[in-house]
Amino acid sequence: MAGERRQETTAIRHQPLRLAVIGLGNIARSMIELCWREGGGRVALVGVLVRAPRAAEAEAWLGGRAPVTTSVPDLLAVRPDIVAECAGHAALKVFGEPVLEAGCDLVTLASGAFSDRAFEARMRALSRERGRRILVPSGAIVGIDGLAAARHGGLTRVVYSGTKPVNAWRGTAAETAVDLDGLTEPATFFEGSAREASSRYPMNANVTATVALAGIGFDETRVRLIADPAARGNLHALDYEGAFGHARIEIQGRPSPTNPKTSMLTAFSLWRTLIDEAGAAIRVG
């Protein structure tokens, strides 16, 4: 059965991709709006999972366009082809394994959860056992395709630097590392491995985990996190070199208007992954 479903997902689809979503925060809503506006019948939203206290709000926002549930068994009962996890690290650790066990592909932006070695090992093993995939969109950064390609020739150095406005770091460990209110110039408040960055700054640094997964791993990837009182958006810089040569890529991303910790590009990246899975005739990157 798993082999048969794998064959279906690697061919051009003749039926809409059945999508279920875990969480209904800023990223999920932006992605669902893209589905309604640009899906063109290629992606069908078949269910949304939220916490019980948020169910009525979710039903009102969805307006009857998809059923709302508060339990994983009920979500999986609608037989999705793919489940988009949009609720963060904790949700991925709770729901990731049941989704794969049920024979569904999984797409997640909470790549920082894989900094937990044991969890990453379990998810990789279960993916192979069930013949299902774990898809990690590039999120707020660009150049991940080139990094992943360069890895096969050998990488010697990968450095990610993330610069965000002061407000984007409020409510995180940055508040104990630097005086955010007193900054008059950019301040680097964290330098270390991607493993440490992705676990200490889960709301801001999932991109570091994505870089690590695409390149040379959590422990060898170096990370710098910077608070800049003059920054107008989120600046992501990726610097890597190896047998292929040297690359430096920067993106000045605009933050989401409803969540300064999230770049607008993140939801677009998630939607692009789903559209490709729905059966793009020409797939680039």
Side-chain angles (χ1 to χ4, degrees):
M1 180 64 178
E4 292 174 1
R5 289 195 62 178
R6 169 61 56 225
Q7 185 176 8
E8 291 174 4
T9 58
T10 54
I12 297 295
R13 302 183 64 91
H14 298 289
Q15 299 294 329
L17 181 74
R18 294 177 60 82
L19 167 68
V21 178
I22 296 175
L24 198 58
N26 177 67
I27 292 174
R29 293 188 185 212
S30 297
M31 182 268 294
I32 290 171
E33 287 173 343
L34 285 166
C35 178
W36 290 337
R37 187 169 70 245
E38 301 181 8
R42 292 173 291 175
V43 180
L45 181 64
V46 296
V48 176
L49 172 68
V50 297
R51 294 176 179 173
R54 304 294 298 275
E57 176 190 343
E59 289 171 351
W61 187 84
L62 288 164
R65 292 200 245 190
V68 174
T69 180
T70 58
S71 79
V72 176
D74 286 345
L75 185 73
L76 297 175
V78 301
R79 297 183 58 81
D81 298 311
I82 191 166
V83 176
E85 182 284 305
C86 301
H89 292 190
L92 179 59
K93 287 190 170 183
V94 171
F95 303 125
E97 290 170 86
V99 166
L100 295 178
E101 286 275 10
C104 303
D105 287 333
L106 172 68
V107 57
T108 179
L109 291 163
S111 54
F114 296 113
S115 64
D116 179 333
R117 291 182 178 90
F119 176 69
E120 180 186 8
R122 290 198 310 272
M123 290 291 282
R124 287 185 183 274
L126 189 55
S127 173
R128 290 190 294 268
E129 177 186 329
R130 296 297 184 185
R132 308 318 301 167
R133 293 167 302 159
I134 303 166
L135 308 175
V136 179
S138 55
I141 198 168
V142 299
I144 292 296
D145 54 345
L147 175 64
R151 177 185 64 194
H152 296 289
L155 286 163
T156 56
R157 185 174 68 94
V158 179
V159 180
Y160 163 75
S161 299
T163 302
K164 294 186 179 184
V166 168
N167 283 342
W169 297 113
R170 296 194 189 281
T172 76
E175 291 184 322
T176 61
V178 66
D179 179 9
L180 293 175
D181 292 324
L183 288 182
T184 58
E185 59 185 23
T188 299
F189 60 85
F190 174 85
E191 290 189 78
S193 71
R195 190 177 303 280
E196 184 181 1
S198 60
S199 60
R200 290 184 61 186
Y201 298 92
M203 295 298 293
N204 294 87
N206 271 327
V207 65
T208 68
T210 301
V211 168
L213 289 167
I216 56 177
F218 282 95
D219 297 309
E220 298 302 321
T221 301
R222 308 311 295 169
V223 174
R224 299 189 190 101
L225 299 179
I226 302 156
D228 184 353
R232 297 182 178 179
N234 302 332
L235 176 63
H236 303 281
L238 182 58
D239 198 312
Y240 56 95
E241 60 184 82
F244 79 99
H246 172 251
R248 179 170 175 80
I249 301 164
E250 289 189 354
I251 175 172
Q252 183 75 55
R254 292 181 178 177
S256 164
T258 56
N259 183 359
K261 293 180 174 64
T262 301
S263 296
M264 288 180 65
L265 187 61
T266 302
F268 302 153
S269 172
L270 175 58
W271 175 240
R272 185 259 173 151
T273 298
L274 292 169
I275 280 293
D276 281 348
E277 289 302 297
I282 299 176
R283 185 167 182 167
V284 180

